[in-house]
Amino acid sequence: MKRTSSVLFYTIDKAIKTYRQFAQSQLKEANIDITIDQWLVLSTIVEQPGISQTDIAEYVFKDSASVTRIIEKLVEQKYLKRNFHETDRRMISLKVTIKGIDIIRKVNRVVLKYRATAQEGLTKKEIDGAKETLQKIIDNCSK
């Protein structure tokens, strides 16, 4: 049996976890009080106005309960405003506040820097090859 650390999926998972920890530490170092997951949810709402919580969860690879907790925190921090939908009171409408737009802009500046650091020394060909390989894995597992 192969050692766990020699399995491709172990390395992928380790790379993702290491990257997320690095990304969060970069936000903390920049005195930005938001998590990567919170930023992803805010950005998704800005990019896709009217998106449902279920679709947000799918888009950011989180379960619905986690997205609900993230949204609660974002509302508490006044980055997000939540209203009942105009025509269906069972649905909620999410709107990013001015404060939310401001934090997204701050995070975006930091993101550009830490992504560049994470990809340092990689060629465009290597990045494209990695994307292609990972997409094949996604496709294989989605059949």
Side-chain angles (χ1 to χ4, degrees):
M1 186 162 163
K2 279 186 163 182
R3 289 182 53 142
T4 303
S5 61
S6 69
V7 176
L8 172 64
F9 300 104
Y10 174 88
T11 305
I12 291 169
D13 197 38
K14 185 175 181 179
I16 291 167
K17 286 181 177 162
T18 303
Y19 175 75
R20 288 181 62 84
Q21 289 169 347
F22 173 69
Q24 194 62 58
S25 73
Q26 295 302 296
L27 292 181
K28 187 175 182 178
E29 192 176 296
N31 293 316
I32 297 175
D33 188 28
I34 192 169
T35 67
I36 296 298
D37 289 336
Q38 290 169 343
W39 170 70
L40 285 170
V41 168
L42 275 180
S43 295
T44 299
I45 294 166
V46 167
E47 292 169 7
Q48 300 179 49
I51 189 170
S52 70
Q53 270 189 242
T54 303
D55 290 340
I56 291 169
E58 187 176 315
Y59 193 77
V60 299
F61 312 112
K62 296 284 176 198
D63 60 82
S64 292
S66 294
V67 170
T68 298
R69 285 190 298 275
I70 290 168
I71 287 171
E72 290 292 330
K73 186 70 173 172
L74 292 169
V75 169
E76 181 182 306
Q77 292 174 303
K78 305 215 182 310
Y79 293 139
L80 190 62
K81 187 170 171 117
R82 178 182 44 207
N83 294 313
F84 286 105
H85 195 274
E86 295 169 4
T87 57
D88 186 346
R89 304 259 320 146
R90 293 170 296 176
M91 294 176 57
I92 60 168
S93 170
L94 301 169
K95 177 131 173 89
V96 178
T97 64
I98 301 288
K99 185 178 177 185
I101 295 295
D102 185 49
I103 197 75
I104 289 171
R105 287 184 181 133
K106 287 178 184 174
V107 172
N108 286 347
R109 287 191 291 269
V110 176
V111 166
L112 292 174
K113 291 177 186 174
Y114 73 66
R115 283 182 182 167
T117 299
Q119 294 180 26
E120 194 173 306
L122 296 176
T123 65
K124 182 177 179 346
K125 184 177 179 180
E126 288 172 320
I127 292 169
D128 290 344
K131 286 180 184 177
E132 186 178 320
T133 299
L134 292 171
Q135 188 58 55
K136 285 180 184 176
I137 292 169
I138 292 166
D139 293 345
N140 289 343
C141 294
S142 300
K143 291 180 182 177

